Amino acid sequence: MKYLDEYRDEKIARGIVAELSRRATRPWVLMEICGGQTHTLMRYGIDEMLPAGIELVHGPGCPVCVTSLETIDKATEIASRPDVTLISYGDMLRVPGSHTDLFHVKAWGGDVRVVYSPTEALKFARANPGRKVVFFAVGFETTAPANAMAVWQAKREGLKNFSILASHVLVPPAIRALLSSPRNRVQGFIGPGHVCTVMGYREYEDLIRDFHVPIVVGGFEPLDLLEAILMLVTQLEEGRAAVENQYVRSVTYEGNLFAQKVLAEVFEVCDRKWRGIGGIPASGLSLREEYVEFDADRIFGTEGVTADEPAECISAEVLQGLKKPTDCPAFGTRCTPENPLGAPMVSSEGACAAYYQYRRHAIAAKGTH
Amino acid sequence: MCLAIPGKILNSEVHNGIRVGRVRFGGITRETCLDFVPEALVGDYVIVHVGFAISRVDREEAERSYALLESMGLLKGELESDLEDS
């Protein structure tokens, strides 16, 4: 069976684009937050389909990309210990730290393993009581409840050899930081559909009140994104600013209360440094005092680790929507997914990786004329 | 890792007070926590993120978004694990 009816979808897409052309009377700059959405936009060339003047910039919504250099350094340091098994989501392994990455630590004999779920890390800890098992807990609000559940279970079972290196980040404070910047160009946001599946969209109302900027929670299919863009442009042209929900198939106002409950039980809001952006107040999650026995940062004494970011990588500007990946002189030459200078080229959801996957041939062809 | 993938719930049981089930994504199945979606039953489709179902969706939605993720080549690696044996 063919699930993607490309003919039908293309017809609807053209209809939405025609409607956009009718409604847009001036240029608008819109940002999608989520890396999954960036991929759809690139894969289907939606940015190139839009009427001239409607510009899409790509936001900081790839957790792999915004995990600070310090945190990567902490992970490689902990993973290098002979008594530790460090367990991670796969896309963290090639993210460059100051000196090395987890992939190299593994190649040099470190016990680094890839899982798709924190519950597998928990199982491994139960089965290997002689190992200190550290789970590298990165991710946005979508991922945090899963990681929280693993910690909650570990505490309930009295598991002594399990801990997490927590580097969770939150979307609304990042939007607030972008909007507060004097360099901000973004006039409307496509909200992240899966983050909002968990958190709902009520917390975005504060942003509307403080910045009068429209936010439309969007899904991940090409038509979802086109519809979200149309809803944003409609609000902008009418001078309105509200949170609207395009992705009603998965997102409700309240979100998933079960997931929110375990998240609040285990984590509390903290200040967090974002790679490429810097410190953002109240933009992360860390373990509550009742769960500090599971804090790898404290157990292994890595709290003091600091790092400086490399100068050549322009990921700071890319993650803030100030530059496109292709504005970078290193793009596709000194920086590729195999040899990344910065995190957005590593993760499958990173903006640079998306441009590399879908646009590098077109860019190379342009360069020869 | 940021992706959420739709799959079908094949079974459901309670382990250590937590509801888990096997969920099928195309050709592979993964153990999935169902605690965040108490309304989802065996045979239902759920959106799964890092081994946790976060919402229930209808079959058509699930199949369409699975096909989309597959067509973009994003599934390879996403369900990758050194520890899972199925």
Side-chain angles (χ1 to χ4, degrees), chain A residues 9-29:
Chain A
D9 285 3
E10 200 184 324
K11 213 172 147 191
I12 299 171
R14 285 185 195 289
I16 297 176
V17 171
E19 188 57 33
L20 266 171
S21 303
R22 272 194 293 278
R23 291 192 196 179
T25 62
R26 55 183 148 152
W28 297 110
V29 179

Side-chain angles (χ1 to χ4, degrees), chain B residues 18-86:
Chain B
I18 291 174
R19 187 168 164 245
V20 293
R22 303 291 300 178
V23 171
R24 192 175 68 214
F25 309 93
I28 47 174
T29 64
R30 285 279 178 264
E31 189 176 294
T32 300
C33 176
L34 302 173
D35 256 14
F36 301 157
V37 287
E39 74 280 16
L41 306 172
V42 172
D44 282 349
Y45 289 79
V46 282
I47 296 181
V48 178
H49 177 70
V50 299
F52 286 70
I54 55 171
S55 71
R56 188 167 65 111
V57 290
D58 66 31
R59 178 184 170 172
E60 193 195 335
E61 159 84 8
E63 289 176 340
R64 209 177 49 231
S65 51
Y66 185 87
L68 177 77
L69 291 171
E70 197 172 38
S71 79
M72 293 200 289
L74 290 177
L75 290 176
K76 193 179 171 291
E78 190 67 24
L79 294 165
E80 179 190 337
S81 169
D82 294 341
L83 305 180
E84 177 89 10
D85 53 10
S86 62

Side-chain angles (χ1 to χ4, degrees), chain A residues 3 40 44 89 91 113-117 120 123 142-143 146 153 156 220-221 249-250 256 258 349, chain B residues 1-2 4 16 18 30-31 35-36 38 49-50 52 54-55 61 63-64 68 72 81-84:
Chain A
Y3 301 118
T40 305
Y44 288 89
Y89 299 119
D91 23 13
R113 306 194 187 209
V114 167
V115 291
Y116 103 102
S117 170
E120 294 175 281
K123 270 190 198 166
T142 329
T143 320
Q153 268 182 280
R156 208 181 50 160
F220 295 82
E221 297 177 30
R249 307 191 300 278
S250 182
N256 186 319
F258 300 99
E349 288 133 46
Chain B
M1 54 146 296
C2 198
N16 298 325
I18 291 174
R30 285 279 178 264
E31 189 176 294
D35 256 14
F36 301 157
H49 177 70
V50 299
F52 286 70
I54 55 171
S55 71
E61 159 84 8
E63 289 176 340
R64 209 177 49 231
L68 177 77
M72 293 200 289
S81 169
D82 294 341
L83 305 180
E84 177 89 10

Side-chain angles (χ1 to χ4, degrees), chain B residues 8-23:
Chain B
K8 183 181 185 177
I9 302 175
L10 301 181
N11 69 346
S12 159
E13 49 195 65
V14 175
H15 274 310
N16 298 325
I18 291 174
R19 187 168 164 245
V20 293
R22 303 291 300 178
V23 171

